[in-house]
Amino acid sequence: MPKVDPSNPDFRRAPLFQECFPSSTKEYKEVVHQPTGSVLRVPFRRIHLTDGTFYDAYDTSGPQGHPPKEGIPKIRADWVARREARGDTNQTQMTYARQGIITEEMLFAATREGVDPELVRSELARGRAIVPANKRHIEMEPVVVGRLFRTKLNANTGNSALGSSIEEEVEKMQWAVMWGSDTLMDLSTGKNIHETREFVIRNSPVPIGTVPIYQALEKVYGKVEDLSWDLFKETLVEQAEQGVDYFTIHAGLLLHMVPYTINRLTGIVSRGGSIHAKWCLSHHQENFAYTHWEEILDICAKYDVGLSIGDGLRPGSQHDACDKAQFAELKVQGDLTRRAWAKGVQVMNEGPGHVPIHRIPENVTKQLEWCDEAPFYTLGPVVTDIAPGYDHITSAIGATTIGALGTALLCYVTPKEHLGLPNRDDVKAGVIVYKIACHAADLAKGIAGAMDWDDAMSKARFEFRWEDQFNLSLDPVTARSMHDETLPGPSLKVAHFCSMCGPKFCAMKVTQELRELAKQQLEAGIPLPTPEENGVKTNGNGQGGKDVEDLIHTGMAAKSAQFKAVMNIAPAESEVGGGVYVNVQH
Ligand code: SF4
């Protein structure tokens, strides 16, 4: 399988769009950026339905069919070249937004979001949204992350000292964006970090984030004490040059906060946080990321690298949630956010971690207040610690809750969380579960058009359009295979039931029959009986009278007999329940 030579990886065939989304086509909406005349081609996925209609879904899958060694098309090349030619000194999206300029990136993101580009611009200028867009990641399809927009999802990938290769990491990225990941963090800590990241960025249609301290630590062979600001700075520049769109930097973790974690059940669980804390303690010096924050901002401003200010002291258990250490760091995150904005650097704030559901709202309230409504970016949170193997679910429950409260970016968790390095299938499971969380949050937030997808699915479900149900689902292949398990074959893809309740217990089928019956009666001029005609005594205002219960019983029995007669169910059969079961041939 994977070759050892990092400069010449042996890639497997990428998953095909058509295989993942049968009956979908990749389409583009063309929109002209008036100030420059650039024609932007904004992707979406059209799901074709059997009733002749279609549903258009947000699409993150990126350009298809490009060999990984060549990379995907560089759609931002001209946009960035124009700014360079003009000699723009600060090319951050926030800076342009504050100047009243709607960039190509803003227009692109607004178009795929279905909102006014001016809303994207004003939210960027305010710092309440970001469009991560390193000027060196010219392959990227811009996306806006902010509380007024669709809730976005981030997938973490990356190798470790114990596993994975460049091929597998590129494959995981392709798999993540195919299923709907809006951003991706390459958290590699193993071999060939630079080369792995290069292949990932050149093939990624979504913004790429990193935690640069991981690579810095690799450069000193894992010896935390040997880390230095100079080495860290060199790593930031190296990654910015490659095109990393946002850095997670744990600059809010300060020396005096480390003792706050002494009585925790699970101490410091953030990898980056533990590295910075150990360095602070071993040198008895303040965190170099904090003391050199202005220099970090200058690097970020030069390339337009967004900052995802890390939560190095996030709780790693329900027990430690919302403690002094966590909130002390969050307050510093707020100070760092304002300083970044002063230089036009785009910012997100990272948040927990592990939090019981009832304490999620206070996390959002504090972040909004202390960090001036910068986009919140949370890992889950996991809402119970007792389900290893299912933490994509325990965390998606928390993610849905915190997303509904306006958290802009939800970092997925895979089933392997707390257990091992995720593989391609784990990545897919994490992405799908988090797509559910994001969409549920969008319904709760009242995002325009979000309910349309649910309505399309519900209509297909009620009309027993099974093919459309599969194709409208987040994971059509799995939905179809589950139906196939008990009802395979084309003829059963139009059946008016499934194997859950069977043909006679299918509530939707019975409802359709009831509707048909009511329609027939109305067409025949038979009016619906009044409650009194139906054996129900009322007190004149529609409320039940004294003998109501008995009379309801009598009335229901009468209606039942009427129904059975219409449905041709023999009395003897119906009394023993035969009317709702189908005869089974043994
Ligand atoms: S049989 Fe039951 S689960 Fe299946 S479609 Fe009908 S109501 Fe739904």
Side-chain angles (χ1 to χ4, degrees), residues 15 19-21 153 155-157 171-181 392 412-415 422-436 474-479 481:
E19 291 167 355
C20 300
F21 300 114
L153 104 84
N156 287 340
T157 60
E171 222 175 45
K172 282 189 220 170
M173 179 276 292
Q174 291 170 328
W175 209 228
V177 299
M178 180 68 81
W179 295 112
S181 190
H392 56 322
Y412 87 167
V413 170
T414 75
N423 60 25
R424 194 182 79 159
D425 292 339
D426 300 320
V427 167
K428 178 184 171 185
V431 170
I432 296 287
V433 170
Y434 269 68
K435 284 291 286 182
I436 298 169
L474 291 176
D475 181 358
V477 178
T478 299
S481 71

Side-chain angles (χ1 to χ4, degrees), residues 47-55 451-473 479 483 492-498 506 508-509 512 515:
I47 307 168
H48 300 272
L49 306 178
T50 56
D51 65 357
T53 63
F54 54 80
Y55 177 77
M451 183 75 100
D452 294 349
W453 197 340
D454 299 78
D455 290 348
M457 176 66 88
S458 301
K459 194 163 184 290
R461 186 169 286 154
F462 194 66
E463 292 170 4
F464 296 101
R465 286 186 276 118
W466 292 101
E467 294 292 341
D468 292 343
Q469 288 186 65
F470 306 146
N471 294 327
L472 281 164
S473 72
H483 191 265
L492 292 166
K493 302 307 181 211
V494 290
H496 282 212
F497 59 90
C498 76
C506 177
M508 289 198 288
K509 182 181 170 210
Q512 287 187 351
R515 282 189 178 178

